Amino acid sequence: MDRAGLLAHETDRTELHGEGLPKKRVRKSRGRGLRTKTGCLTCRKRHKKCDELLPVCGPCSIAQRDCVFAEGLRPSLRLRTHSANEINFSSREIPNATPNVCPETSSHIIASPCKLLTHVEEQQPLAIPALTQESYQYGYSPETATSDILSADLASTRWLDLLTTDAAQADGGFTLALSPAPEHTSSTGRYGTFPEAQTQSDTGATVSIGLLAAERPDWQSDRDIILKDREAVLFRSFAETAASWLDLFDPSRHFSTHATRLALRNQGLMKSILALAARHDAMIQTNLGRSGADANEAIQYYYETLHYVQTAIKKYDSYAHSEELLGTAIVISTYEMLDASDSNWKRHLKGVFWIQRSQNVNGASGGLRQSVWWAWLRQDVWAAFRERRRCFSFWRPVNDYSELTQDDLASYSVYLLSQAINYCALPDASSTDPEVIAKRADAGAALLHMIERWKTFQGPKFKPLPTPAASNSVFQPLWIHPPHFAVALQVISFARILVTLHSPAKNGFDGYLNTQRALSDDVATITGVAMELRHKSCQILSAQSLFVAGLCVQDDTRREAIISLIGACEARSNWPMSALRNDLRAEWAKIG
């Protein structure tokens, strides 16, 4: 039998008897059947396999990326869970459990932290018995968790729209008509070019955002920008003074070292730096009683910054992903905070958050990006505290306290403060439901436990050094050096006061005494440190901590001593704090 006859015979045999050689497996086309449609949008965009675990899928959890599922295409609930009898917590994260239903928005994309969730697995757990996930509803701001993850160009455009709209309302003559595209000029030109060799961030990581080689020369200069004499004075003032506010807790001082170098090749970042330095210099001249300061100098630099950013965003995609834009945004935010444009500054903080989120910037990004995030968080915690809202960020630390350097440990005090502020902003603070009260008490106890655990990792740099006693003061001085470790203790006391004041009252006289003792200790730490804290970079956080300490003081003598300490912070930093003192007096007037 020939080969054709044999094949025909075998075919007939298979059809008649259902047996024969096994059929070859037919592979489904990639267009149908193999590609899942329920994976998170982050993995789908990166062409990665998604395990569809909630609240954060495996790949996003490992890479610390924002994990987002499209509404209507979410997988069935498959959560990482712990034992029902015990949930473990460590400094790696604070569980962000939320109400069962997220607030509805016009968005069709909902970030996974907004779903009902249990605690994510941990490497170095710290056992806290009998805490339920509902106790932890303070991990993020709902309006940010449910918002779209904007593309980098859209995020920067929305932020710019906020600034320009408010600028137009404040100044009828302000306009942001599209300026001509930046062009290559000489080293003294307005924009210039950027050397091709510099295509990496200061961390050494290659920029993975598809920078076009032809784009960089159009928004970067190939030579250092030539500054006029006055501009050189302002630039140095930023590097030596204003940058220290932003570099607080950063041992590498990225703003005073790296950002200043970037500014020499980028007109937008340079103009924002000059705006901040000019505004601060005008305040110094006013405080010294000197006349002749140009009140419009800082505003002009501010407007020029907005013009540059608008042009660069519209013309060059790579600019929206750059360190230069991140640095410009946080410097402008500091300018607005200094300028006392209170409501506008607080609203614009959300715009800075959009830009950071679009670039996946967080507290562990490394380099200047990480420094920008921490500087922004220090601003947002104060704005959130004054507005009685939660902080915008929902990033959670990965490393345990034991893995941190002492500088990182000091910086994490701000993160713990952000969690305390989120706890205070919960809507159930006035609830009389026993179950709600019990859950809130558990959450407060867990936060206090985290704070106390933070203290156990303090090294020698956090310890007080010998200093003469103050015989004529109602508070005793507390000298800690280096100074940023001292202000970290103030921040931790700030956080403890907030949690203590907003936790359900403890029963019995002993509970009352313990609460008063804890508040008294925290007030003593904040005021004692403030008496010896001289460094300009620490004065803003120190004054904010003094404000909270003042809320716990009833004696008029002690109150006036705190007002004087805030005044001393203002004198050292030349940062306006009269509104802070007035607000504190107004709070005292309410309680008598």
Side-chain angles (χ1 to χ4, degrees):
M1 182 180 295
D2 60 10
R3 181 176 180 83
L6 180 61
L7 290 175
H9 173 74
E10 290 296 325
T11 302
D12 293 340
R13 181 183 174 194
T14 302
E15 292 175 350
L16 291 173
H17 303 288
E19 43 183 55
L21 296 174
K23 294 183 178 180
K24 184 178 180 180
R25 178 174 173 267
V26 179
R27 179 180 177 87
K28 295 180 180 180
S29 70
R30 289 197 174 273
R32 299 176 58 186
L34 290 182
R35 184 172 297 172
T36 177
K37 295 183 179 180
T38 56
C40 78
L41 298 181
T42 307
C43 288
R44 290 168 65 184
K45 183 177 180 181
R46 298 176 63 233
H47 304 291
K48 300 292 184 181
K49 182 177 176 60
C50 182
D51 60 12
E52 302 178 2
L53 287 178
L54 299 177
V56 181
C57 73
C60 289
S61 177
I62 294 172
Q64 300 181 38
R65 298 181 184 275
D66 291 317
C67 188
V68 182
F69 289 91
E71 181 66 11
L73 296 178
R74 287 171 291 178
S76 57
L77 225 58
R78 296 190 295 137
L79 306 177
R80 298 181 178 91
T81 59
H82 286 285
S83 167
N85 297 325
E86 180 181 74
I87 297 178
N88 295 329
F89 304 97
S90 77
S91 66
R92 178 180 179 184
E93 64 180 32
I94 298 179
N96 292 343
T98 65
N100 292 349
V101 180
C102 296
E104 293 296 330
T105 68
S106 59
S107 168
H108 296 291
I109 301 178
I110 299 182
S112 58
C114 197
K115 304 183 184 81
L116 178 66
L117 58 98
T118 56
H119 185 55
V120 182
E121 299 162 346
E122 301 183 357
Q123 297 176 342
Q124 299 183 4
L126 174 67
I128 301 177
L131 288 183
T132 61
Q133 72 250 25
E134 290 84 359
S135 299
Y136 284 87
Q137 301 180 17
Y138 53 84
Y140 62 91
S141 176
E143 61 181 312
T144 57
T146 58
S147 62
D148 292 359
I149 296 184
L150 305 176
S151 62
D153 55 345
L154 183 56
S156 52
T157 299
R158 287 195 178 183
W159 167 74
L160 182 64
D161 287 344
L162 287 176
L163 270 62
T164 55
T165 300
D166 291 333
Q169 291 177 351
D171 183 356
F174 173 78
T175 179
L176 201 58
L178 184 61
S179 54
E183 298 178 354
H184 171 62
T185 62
S186 66
S187 61
T188 59
R190 185 172 177 80
Y191 295 97
T193 62
F194 183 82
E196 288 297 323
Q198 297 189 24
T199 58
Q200 294 184 332
S201 69
D202 63 311
T203 62
T206 301
V207 179
S208 58
I209 53 177
L211 289 178
L212 301 178
E215 284 190 10
R216 262 217 191 271
D218 289 326
W219 59 269
Q220 277 286 22
S221 173
D222 60 349
R223 299 179 184 179
D224 288 352
I225 298 170
I226 304 300
L227 299 177
K228 299 176 182 178
D229 289 347
R230 171 61 177 167
E231 292 174 335
V233 170
L234 294 176
F235 183 72
R236 180 167 181 171
S237 174
F238 171 84
E240 295 180 346
T241 302
S244 67
W245 308 332
L246 301 169
D247 280 330
L248 185 63
F249 302 126
D250 179 8
S252 298
R253 304 291 184 262
H254 280 91
F255 280 96
S256 60
T257 57
H258 183 60
T260 50
R261 268 64 179 183
L262 291 178
L264 290 174
R265 299 293 180 92
N266 181 258
Q267 196 76 18
L269 181 55
M270 177 61 75
K271 292 296 185 182
S272 67
I273 285 174
L274 297 179
L276 175 58
R279 188 70 187 95
H280 189 233
D281 181 68
M283 290 184 171
I284 294 175
Q285 301 305 319
T286 300
N287 293 340
L288 294 175
R290 297 174 183 173
S291 59
D294 185 0
N296 295 322
E297 181 183 34
I299 298 175
Q300 182 62 34
Y301 286 130
Y302 176 78
Y303 288 167
E304 290 178 5
T305 302
L306 300 189
H307 276 281
Y308 176 90
V309 171
Q310 185 218 32
T311 302
I313 288 173
K314 286 183 176 291
K315 297 295 182 181
Y316 311 112
D317 292 338
S318 60
Y319 179 71
H321 300 268
S322 67
E323 289 182 324
E324 286 83 351
L325 176 61
L326 283 171
T328 300
I330 193 62
V331 171
I332 285 298
S333 180
T334 308
Y335 167 89
E336 293 175 332
M337 185 180 180
L338 176 65
D339 200 40
S341 52
D342 202 40
S343 60
N344 291 343
W345 161 66
K346 291 174 183 176
R347 289 195 308 107
H348 299 168
L349 280 171
K350 188 174 182 180
V352 182
F353 168 77
W354 291 335
I355 296 175
Q356 292 179 127
R357 193 179 182 197
S358 71
Q359 296 193 31
N360 196 30
V361 172
N362 56 50
S365 298
L368 180 62
R369 296 175 187 273
Q370 178 173 318
S371 297
V372 167
W373 189 88
W374 284 106
W376 168 82
L377 183 64
R378 291 195 296 273
Q379 294 185 16
D380 188 46
V381 293
W382 182 246
F385 168 71
R386 298 305 300 270
E387 293 183 329
R388 293 178 171 83
R389 63 164 171 84
R390 305 182 202 184
C391 298
F392 289 133
S393 176
F394 48 83
W395 174 78
R396 296 169 293 184
V398 174
N399 295 330
D400 187 76
Y401 295 147
S402 60
E403 303 173 82
L404 302 178
T405 66
Q406 289 295 286
D407 290 297
D408 289 337
L409 190 69
S411 185
Y412 272 44
S413 65
V414 181
Y415 173 78
L416 290 174
L417 175 58
S418 73
Q419 299 308 297
I421 289 171
N422 290 347
Y423 172 75
C424 298
L426 284 176
D428 60 7
S430 58
S431 175
T432 58
D433 185 340
E435 184 177 356
V436 173
I437 293 175
K439 291 178 180 178
R440 186 172 180 83
D442 286 344
L447 256 180
L448 291 175
H449 186 93
M450 292 176 64
I451 291 172
E452 293 306 313
R453 184 169 181 266
W454 178 90
K455 292 182 176 182
T456 64
F457 289 91
Q458 294 175 3
K461 294 180 181 179
F462 287 93
K463 305 303 179 185
L465 298 172
T467 187
S471 57
N472 298 324
S473 176
V474 294
F475 302 115
Q476 288 304 309
L478 194 60
W479 179 43
I480 297 171
H481 190 79
H484 62 282
F485 291 101
V487 78
L489 292 182
Q490 287 185 308
V491 171
I492 281 295
S493 293
F494 185 161
R496 281 220 323 169
I497 287 175
L498 291 184
V499 178
T500 301
L501 291 177
H502 288 82
S503 295
K506 298 179 181 179
N507 295 328
F509 186 66
D510 288 341
Y512 170 80
L513 289 179
N514 290 335
T515 298
Q516 294 302 311
R517 189 178 300 112
L519 293 175
S520 178
D521 290 345
D522 289 325
V523 169
T525 297
I526 292 173
T527 54
V529 167
M531 293 174 68
E532 296 295 319
L533 200 57
R534 302 286 189 269
H535 202 276
K536 295 179 180 180
S537 64
C538 304
Q539 301 306 313
I540 300 170
L541 260 182
S542 182
Q544 293 169 354
S545 301
L546 285 167
F547 178 90
V548 174
L551 299 176
C552 306
V553 174
Q554 288 79 38
D555 178 73
D556 288 341
T557 303
R558 293 161 65 87
R559 286 178 172 178
E560 289 304 317
I562 288 178
I563 291 292
S564 297
L565 288 173
I566 295 176
C569 292
E570 181 178 26
R572 297 186 191 111
S573 64
N574 287 293
W575 188 281
M577 297 178 183
S578 58
L580 195 65
R581 295 193 296 272
N582 294 336
D583 289 346
L584 185 55
R585 292 186 185 279
E587 292 296 328
W588 290 334
K590 293 178 184 177
I591 60 179

